[in-house]
Amino acid sequence: MNMTPAILIEESLDNRLLTATFNRPDKANSIDREMANALQALAERVEQSPHIDAVIFTGSGRIFCAGGDISAFGQALRQSPGALPELLNELATTVHGALLRLVEAGPLLVGAINGPATGAGMALACACDIAYARPGAVLRAGFSRLGLSPDSGSTHFLPRAIGYKRALEFLLSGAPMSALQAHEFGIYSELLDLDQDAFSDEVHNRTLQLIASGAAVRATRNLLRASPDTPLEQQLDVERKRLVDLAGTPDVIAGIGRLLGGAGSGQ
């Protein structure tokens, strides 16, 4: 009997908002070769679509993403001494490429962290521009428990969110960070104590409100992303250029027209 293979990342598009759901709940939405390739394919689609203003990441089942697939690591160890380094290199190369594409593509990245997030899952939660979480969405680095150093942008996004010293202690200790702590540290924008379906709906509706300004969403997000590494004079110049670029667009003309009660709408 032919069985249709599972869709590892389910995609749902609604009004310029794409929801990407990790769909490997029997394996805690962990990342093996196939899941990594699915993430890369998602990144390519987002990169190539100028009509997506935001991407929501969430997980099916009770876990957001458990990071690397430990069972796949074990299989590699049983194959040969060099199989695990080869696998980790392949996974890191694919996942890192996907993360870079997603971050640089332009759409707002929103985390709907429905449950625990470990390793690469934790890193993705930190990489999101905004992240909402359920109270059980514990974060754990996981790398140190395996004797491995961090990957998936952990050492880039985490210290920017919580500071160098706190990030170093978290990554080395392997201790969990509660959802409440993650909220207090600024990783999570807000904790939403809702059941799975209500949580997903709430994040979806909030994100639709956030992207209501259209093209200004990408401009605002990209300006903020670049600001920590951009000198003030250069940042001011880029702000001016983005402002002028948007000023002649239909969205801006219509918006000003609404505020003026029709005057200045060009009619």
Side-chain angles (χ1 to χ4, degrees), residues 35-231:
M35 180 68 91
N37 289 334
L39 185 63
Q40 184 180 58
L42 169 69
E44 289 174 356
R45 282 190 288 277
V46 172
E47 185 180 51
Q48 294 166 9
S49 176
H51 305 298
I52 295 174
D53 287 335
V55 181
I56 295 176
F57 294 95
T58 194
S60 59
R62 64 181 187 83
I63 293 175
F64 175 69
C65 175
D69 186 344
I70 301 297
S71 63
F73 296 174
Q75 280 185 331
L77 283 174
R78 290 190 292 272
Q79 289 174 13
S80 70
L84 181 58
E86 181 180 341
L87 174 62
L88 290 177
N89 182 59
E90 180 182 342
L91 290 178
T93 299
T94 305
V95 172
H96 291 185
L99 283 173
L100 186 61
R101 281 180 153 177
L102 287 165
V103 169
E104 294 187 346
L108 192 69
L109 304 182
V110 178
I113 316 302
N114 57 296
T118 303
M122 178 274 298
L124 178 58
C126 293
C128 286
D129 299 299
I130 297 171
Y132 302 102
R134 299 180 70 196
V138 175
L139 297 177
R140 190 188 294 271
F143 309 103
S144 62
R145 292 186 297 164
L146 302 176
L148 293 170
S149 56
D151 70 346
S152 301
S154 302
T155 59
H156 176 88
F157 297 112
L158 191 62
R160 282 164 169 75
I162 67 176
Y164 165 80
K165 293 181 179 180
R166 190 175 279 153
L168 182 61
E169 181 182 19
F170 174 68
L171 291 172
L172 291 179
S173 70
M177 182 188 298
S178 70
L180 181 59
Q181 286 177 308
H183 177 231
E184 291 172 347
F185 293 161
I187 296 174
Y188 294 153
S189 305
E190 189 173 347
L191 299 184
L192 303 174
D193 192 2
L194 301 169
D195 64 39
Q196 182 86 329
D197 290 340
F199 173 73
S200 298
D201 290 343
E202 180 67 14
V203 175
H204 182 272
N205 292 334
R206 289 189 183 205
T207 305
L208 284 177
Q209 292 175 3
L210 289 173
I211 63 175
S213 58
V217 176
R218 287 185 182 230
T220 304
R221 182 245 187 208
N222 292 340
L223 283 165
L224 280 172
R225 281 272 185 180
S227 65
D229 303 314
T230 305

